[in-house]
Amino acid sequence: MNGKDAPSRAAPVFAGVAGALLAGLGALAGARFGIAGEWGLLALGILAAGGLSAAAVYLQASAAVRRQTGDDAAIASRLDALDGVVRLSAGAGGGEAPADYAKRLDAVAVGVSRLREIAEGVHGVEALFDMRGRLTWISPSIERLTGWNPSACLQAPDALALLVHESDRRYCQRMAQRVAEGSPGEDFEMRLLREDGHICWVACHWRPLGREGGQPAGLRMSAEDIQARKEAEYKLLETVTELRRAQALRERYLARSNDERQRLSALLNVIRLGILFMDRDHRVLYYNRAMLDIWGFPPDENLIGMRDVVLQSRVAELIEQPEAYFEHIDGVVRTYVVSEPHEVHFKDGRIVTDIAALVEAVQGRRGIGRVWIYEDVTEQRRTAQRLVELAEHDPLTGLYNRRRFHEELDRQLADASRRDSQVGLVAIDLDGFKPINDEFGHQAGDEVLVALADKVGDVIRRNEMFCRLGGDEFGVVVPDAGEKELCELARRIIEVIEGLRFEFGGRSVGITASLGIAIYPRHAPCAEQLIAAADQAMYRSKSGGRDQWTMAGSSVGESARMSATESDEPDCRRED
């Protein structure tokens, strides 16, 4: 028993003593006045009453003590439970005696105060409901979000009817009922009603609150403000609607001009020229079927609306020099006149030309776009090249002919004159070719000429030109060549021709050649005189025994049939 319980427990003792004193006084009075019997009975009655009174008081005090002890135990138990939950004060339960209830209550009060501060600082809305759906607590943030203060919400008969928009109210109650029936939680979006009548979208979360005997003790509702997101969604929907409305309007205008477009499309599709219209924003506005064919696009490819840079990236891998072609395009789009035809060489060998022109607007100086016209000229170029080849090449051997020989010789002499260099000319005439032609026919002669052109061509360098001048006459133009190099070339040619063998009519036949060499400007100042000097040297090789080469003399007026020993030049003839 502590000091606070002593007065209550001493009260029965004092009551018993007071009864005994009264009984004693009654007995003394009876003895004094001689009426012992009556006063004795009175004293006994008083004594009995005092005892009973003392016993009653004692029993009542004992019961009070027992109730106080039970209350103290319950208070201690609840304080222990609170101390385990509210642990926000450093001094809560820290070494204090269990019976020091005042200090423990102070610590719990501090913890509860801090929890209240946290609840007041919550940005979203937090609310607690009992299992009957009545609001028991709501965070102060409800006033910031809706304008309703917490007191008005708590006093409302139905908080959900006050706060939730009527269109979402039944759904919100249904979600709360699911949680009450055992669902771990429900998430959804709904609208809250503000005090001013406006709405506010929130993301709502219902969760069970605690569990007692396996059942939730209540429900917790959390709500987050998503009004800004919803407004952004509405604006996006409005934008999409506007775009769709604009698209519908555009389609209506397009439908009106559909007949004209169809007629124009049919006309352009039968034209074999590729046609491409680009608008002023450098996007594809129209193209015909030939344009797809020329650029290698599938027939069902849709290029409408494609930007020029995307189109260029698609065709870059098809052409040989994409960078140069794109530079050409950049130069064209900066001008306002019709462009010159430009050739585009494709990797597959095709050649396409393009021409571009600005499409002028009805009003204003700025054009409404540009039209490009493409033409596949591959066959034309091949035909022209074939004609050039036929004009410049010998049809039998494939070597350059006499016409191209004269053109190249003139060019080489002009270039040598500018650079102060030399040009060599080797004239070749076959020995014994006419007997083969006469005895075995022209087909055998053609076979000899083709074989000779092939084999001699193998010893001709890249910068040297080997030509057939007619019949069994050939010539080689050699730039930047001296006497030593030309004699070495003549030796190689002689050896190759000597090594040729043919089978005609069961007989093995061979041929030789006589060569004449002349050097510009050493032996002649012009092409005509250089050819004459080489021919004279070649005839001197024939008259000297054939199957040899001879360097031209210094005088071009000498007889073509003069012997080699009469020349004052070094004798370069091959020795047998």
Side-chain angles (χ1 to χ4, degrees):
M1 179 185 302
N2 55 28
K4 296 179 182 179
D5 298 335
S8 61
R9 297 187 179 183
V13 176
F14 290 131
V17 171
L21 288 175
L22 289 175
L25 288 175
L28 289 177
R32 177 71 178 83
F33 295 103
I35 51 175
E38 296 177 359
W39 283 98
L41 292 174
L42 181 61
L44 288 174
I46 293 172
L47 180 61
L52 291 173
S53 176
V57 172
Y58 177 77
L59 290 174
Q60 183 178 3
S62 297
V65 169
R66 285 193 300 272
R67 284 195 303 272
Q68 182 66 34
T69 302
D71 291 343
D72 289 347
I75 291 172
S77 175
R78 293 192 177 185
L79 283 176
D80 289 339
L82 284 174
D83 199 24
V85 175
V86 185
R87 199 56 92 159
L88 301 177
S89 174
E96 299 292 338
D100 196 354
Y101 302 135
K103 290 183 177 181
R104 296 184 69 184
L105 285 172
D106 290 341
V108 170
V110 171
V112 171
S113 176
R114 293 186 180 180
L115 285 175
R116 182 178 291 109
E117 292 178 2
I118 293 173
E120 291 176 353
V122 171
H123 183 74
V125 175
E126 296 289 338
L128 303 181
F129 293 82
D130 59 19
M131 294 305 295
R132 294 177 297 174
R134 182 173 183 79
L135 180 67
T136 59
W137 179 83
I138 193 167
S139 60
S141 56
I142 188 65
E143 188 169 3
R144 175 191 60 79
L145 190 60
T146 65
W148 296 103
N149 58 53
S151 299
C153 297
L154 290 170
Q155 293 172 4
D158 187 349
L160 292 181
L162 176 69
L163 297 174
V164 181
H165 191 274
E166 60 180 354
S167 299
D168 302 334
R169 194 175 302 152
R170 292 184 61 184
Y171 185 73
C172 177
Q173 292 171 344
R174 190 160 61 250
M175 294 298 102
Q177 184 63 31
R178 289 185 182 179
V179 175
E181 293 174 353
S183 173
E186 298 292 340
D187 301 328
F188 58 96
E189 296 178 358
M190 67 178 184
R191 289 163 290 183
L192 295 183
L193 274 174
R194 295 176 53 86
E195 188 179 18
D196 56 8
H198 294 85
I199 63 171
C200 176
W201 278 94
V202 294
C204 187
H205 317 277
W206 281 106
R207 298 290 183 272
L209 180 65
R211 291 196 178 272
E212 297 179 0
Q215 297 296 324
L219 301 178
R220 171 190 171 189
M221 185 191 75
S222 303
E224 301 170 7
D225 185 3
I226 59 171
Q227 182 65 26
R229 192 192 80 189
K230 283 294 184 179
E231 291 176 356
E233 291 178 356
Y234 288 146
K235 289 181 179 179
L236 180 60
L237 289 175
E238 291 176 358
T239 302
V240 171
T241 303
E242 288 297 326
L243 290 175
R244 289 177 177 174
R245 186 180 296 112
Q247 179 69 15
L249 185 62
R250 176 174 176 269
E251 290 177 353
R252 186 176 67 180
Y253 288 141
L254 287 176
R256 290 180 179 179
S257 61
N258 184 61
D259 292 343
E260 292 297 330
R261 288 176 59 87
Q262 290 297 326
R263 283 191 286 268
L264 177 61
S265 178
L267 172 64
L268 296 179
N269 279 329
V270 298
I271 297 176
R272 295 315 303 161
L273 297 176
I275 299 176
L276 174 67
F277 284 96
M278 304 291 291
D279 63 16
R280 64 176 60 182
D281 296 323
H282 305 283
R283 294 182 181 275
V284 176
L285 187 62
Y286 174 82
Y287 55 91
N288 68 346
R289 191 175 303 133
M291 184 269 177
L292 296 178
D293 295 339
I294 289 174
W295 287 101
F297 290 104
D300 58 348
E301 182 76 23
N302 184 12
L303 304 180
I304 300 299
M306 183 179 294
R307 290 190 61 85
D308 55 353
V309 291
V310 178
L311 195 61
Q312 292 174 15
S313 67
R314 294 281 300 275
V315 303
E317 60 183 13
L318 302 177
I319 55 183
E320 291 183 349
Q321 296 180 335
E323 295 82 5
Y325 179 60
F326 298 150
E327 289 178 4
H328 156 71
I329 294 177
D330 292 339
V332 169
V333 297
R334 294 191 183 97
T335 64
Y336 298 95
V337 297
V338 179
S339 66
E340 295 294 329
H342 177 82
E343 286 191 359
V344 185
H345 292 264
F346 284 65
K347 292 180 179 179
D348 60 3
R350 292 184 298 123
I351 302 175
V352 174
T353 60
D354 70 21
I355 298 177
L358 187 69
V359 181
E360 297 182 356
V362 177
Q363 296 179 349
R365 299 180 58 186
R366 186 182 179 187
I368 62 174
R370 189 175 294 271
V371 58
W372 293 82
I373 300 177
Y374 305 98
E375 182 179 7
D376 190 338
V377 296
T378 306
E379 290 302 322
Q380 299 177 23
R381 295 295 185 269
R382 287 176 180 173
T383 301
Q385 182 64 26
R386 182 59 179 164
L387 293 175
V388 170
E389 290 178 356
L390 291 175
E392 295 185 346
H393 289 76
D394 175 53
L396 177 63
T397 62
L399 300 177
Y400 287 112
N401 58 16
R402 180 182 291 273
R403 175 177 173 274
R404 180 59 190 277
F405 166 78
H406 284 284
E407 291 178 353
E408 185 64 18
L409 183 59
D410 289 338
R411 189 187 68 80
Q412 290 285 358
L413 294 185
D415 184 63
S417 177
R418 289 192 300 270
R419 298 189 295 108
D420 193 22
S421 61
Q422 298 185 124
V423 176
L425 175 60
V426 179
I428 306 171
D429 189 81
L430 300 184
D431 303 326
F433 177 73
K434 188 175 183 301
I436 295 177
N437 239 356
D438 294 341
E439 184 175 355
F440 301 106
H442 291 290
Q443 186 174 1
D446 291 346
E447 183 178 341
V448 170
L449 294 176
V450 171
L452 182 141
D454 182 54
K455 296 300 181 181
V456 174
D458 290 341
V459 300
I460 300 300
R461 294 185 177 90
R462 185 182 298 275
N463 65 331
E464 300 167 351
M465 175 178 279
F466 185 29
C467 306
R468 183 188 179 195
L469 305 181
D472 59 349
E473 295 180 5
F474 298 86
V476 181
V477 180
V478 185
D480 298 321
E483 182 176 326
K484 181 178 179 180
E485 292 83 359
L486 292 170
C487 288
E488 175 61 25
L489 174 60
R491 182 190 64 79
R492 295 198 305 270
I493 294 173
I494 290 290
E495 289 180 353
V496 169
I497 295 176
E498 282 182 344
L500 294 175
R501 304 303 298 177
F502 303 94
E503 292 289 337
F504 300 127
R507 291 172 52 188
S508 178
V509 179
I511 60 172
T512 60
S514 297
L515 281 63
I517 304 172
I519 302 175
Y520 168 88
R522 176 178 171 182
H523 298 128
C526 64
E528 183 178 354
Q529 295 181 12
L530 186 67
I531 294 172
D535 283 344
Q536 291 174 4
M538 182 266 295
Y539 286 122
R540 288 163 60 187
S541 295
K542 280 187 176 293
S543 64
R546 303 183 179 185
D547 193 20
Q548 60 184 343
W549 69 88
T550 302
M551 185 67 65
S554 59
S555 176
V556 298
E558 295 178 353
S559 171
R561 295 294 181 180
M562 68 181 294
S563 64
T565 57
E566 295 176 347
S567 174
D568 58 353
E569 293 294 325
D571 190 358
C572 297
R573 294 178 296 175
R574 184 177 65 85
E575 299 295 338
D576 293 331

